[in-house]
Amino acid sequence: MSQSSLPRALTIAGSDSGGGAGIQADLKTFQMLGVFGMSALTAVTAQNTMGVQGIHDLPPDFVRQQIDSVASDIGIDAAKTGMLSQPEIIEAVVAAMKEHHIEKLVVDPVMVAKGGARLLVPAAERVLREQLLPIAYVVTPNIPEAEALLLRRIETVDDMRDAAKRICDMGAQRVIIKGGHLPGGSSIDILYDGTNVDELHADRIDTKNTHGTGCTFSSALTAWLARGVEFTMAVGRAKQFITAAIAGGISLGHGHGPTNHWALMEQQDTVTKQIWGHMDGELHEVNGNQ
């Protein structure tokens, strides 16, 4: 692939020292999907599979400087946001996205920790709703994040459908609400493009190794959009990527292990080897009969 045709994606998020989520998960995903990944760090965390032990937010003007540096030189085909904990950081990101005309912006509203704690101060939640959502190409909340955005409970798939429309009414062009937190044997995501509502079904996977799931899905979606794939197809491919990553989750540490960012590649390699092995067997049989 020539340099001029290499897809470029930017992640604007926090660093996870444990490597399972945040910037680290995003860059791993970009790499696996053939996209040149760039980063603008918003925070540095002390983090592992057990939780977050410390957070150090970076200055908003430095977050902006990182974005300006890559946008003015390398260029950005698609971008995503993750952890934006302070209102001033969100404002800096919004200003940069507008100035550099980033149209394909995936907003992963990292608002609620796995244990239920709020990660954004109230002022940041307000700025996210009022300034970031209106410039989003797509927003990808899970159920607790959608509840935080709407300040209402979501308990059924019908509630998810309604929530997707309400979040779209806040200005986002498209919304994907991830249904992994609802009970049941199937995990159902709701996809709303401003007109039509679709459901994405996947078998529920019994595993505790789900650290970085939201980051990985949103970065896979960003990668496919950077590659120029049509939105609905990009969502389907991102869903395939995260499903494989969860199924192949890695048992590291003493808590929630990370998803496996190369699981889909391993599956494809196995299938390829099986096909070639079968063909080799047929070839040996033919040669032996000659």
Side-chain angles (χ1 to χ4, degrees):
M1 184 177 291
S2 67
Q3 292 182 357
S4 60
S5 63
L6 182 64
R8 303 151 299 175
L10 171 68
T11 170
I12 308 166
S15 168
D16 173 7
S17 58
I23 290 284
Q24 287 81 354
D26 296 340
L27 292 178
K28 290 173 186 177
T29 302
F30 292 163
Q31 185 79 11
M32 293 306 300
L33 295 177
V35 173
F36 183 77
M38 303 164 290
S39 63
L41 269 67
T42 60
V44 178
T45 71
Q47 187 174 166
N48 54 30
T49 66
M50 301 294 289
V52 179
Q53 292 77 46
I55 299 175
H56 177 69
D57 292 311
L58 295 181
D61 59 346
F62 187 66
V63 174
R64 173 65 190 268
Q65 188 175 21
Q66 293 175 78
I67 299 171
D68 291 344
S69 292
V70 297
S72 62
D73 177 36
I74 301 171
I76 303 167
D77 295 309
K80 65 151 290 190
T81 63
M83 179 182 176
L84 308 173
S85 60
Q86 300 296 323
E88 295 82 6
I89 291 177
I90 299 174
E91 291 170 347
V93 170
V94 169
M97 295 298 98
K98 289 180 177 180
E99 178 172 327
H100 297 293
H101 307 289
I102 307 302
E103 297 180 358
K104 293 181 180 178
L105 176 64
V106 178
V107 173
D108 182 15
V110 181
M111 303 175 69
V112 183
K114 192 177 291 291
R118 290 292 182 97
L119 298 176
L120 273 67
V121 299
E125 291 187 2
R126 178 182 56 80
V127 175
L128 188 149
R129 291 189 191 94
E130 296 178 359
Q131 297 189 34
L132 187 60
L133 293 189
I135 66 169
Y137 181 77
V138 57
V139 186
T140 62
N142 58 27
I143 287 177
E145 291 161 348
E147 290 178 334
L149 285 172
L150 297 172
L151 303 177
R152 58 189 296 161
R153 293 284 294 168
I154 298 173
E155 299 177 334
T156 67
V157 174
D158 285 340
D159 289 344
M160 292 172 63
R161 288 171 169 265
D162 180 67
K165 294 177 181 179
R166 289 176 181 270
I167 293 173
C168 213
D169 288 342
M170 293 179 176
Q173 295 181 45
R174 299 163 179 82
V175 179
I176 302 168
I177 297 185
K178 299 167 292 187
H181 286 78
L182 285 186
S186 177
S187 176
I188 302 174
D189 298 340
I190 295 298
L191 168 61
Y192 182 59
D193 65 1
T195 303
N196 301 307
V197 178
D198 292 315
E199 295 183 3
L200 299 175
H201 292 253
D203 292 336
R204 190 174 298 277
I205 300 167
D206 184 16
T207 177
K208 70 171 185 175
N209 299 323
T210 56
H211 182 54
T213 300
C215 303
T216 300
F217 172 76
S218 58
S219 55
L221 177 57
T222 304
W224 286 116
L225 292 174
R227 294 180 66 96
V229 174
E230 181 271 332
F231 177 70
T232 303
M233 184 176 292
V235 174
R237 292 183 179 181
K239 180 74 171 180
Q240 180 187 30
F241 187 90
I242 188 57
T243 299
I246 294 173
I250 305 169
S251 295
L252 287 175
H254 298 89
H256 294 279
T259 60
N260 184 345
H261 297 91
W262 55 91
L264 186 61
M265 177 83 61
E266 288 179 335
Q267 290 179 6
Q268 293 170 341
D269 286 347
T270 298
V271 171
T272 300
K273 290 175 182 176
Q274 289 173 344
I275 293 172
W276 280 105
H278 180 68
M279 293 175 63
D280 286 344
E282 291 180 339
L283 183 61
H284 289 315
E285 184 177 346
V286 170
N287 290 336
N289 291 332
Q290 289 181 346

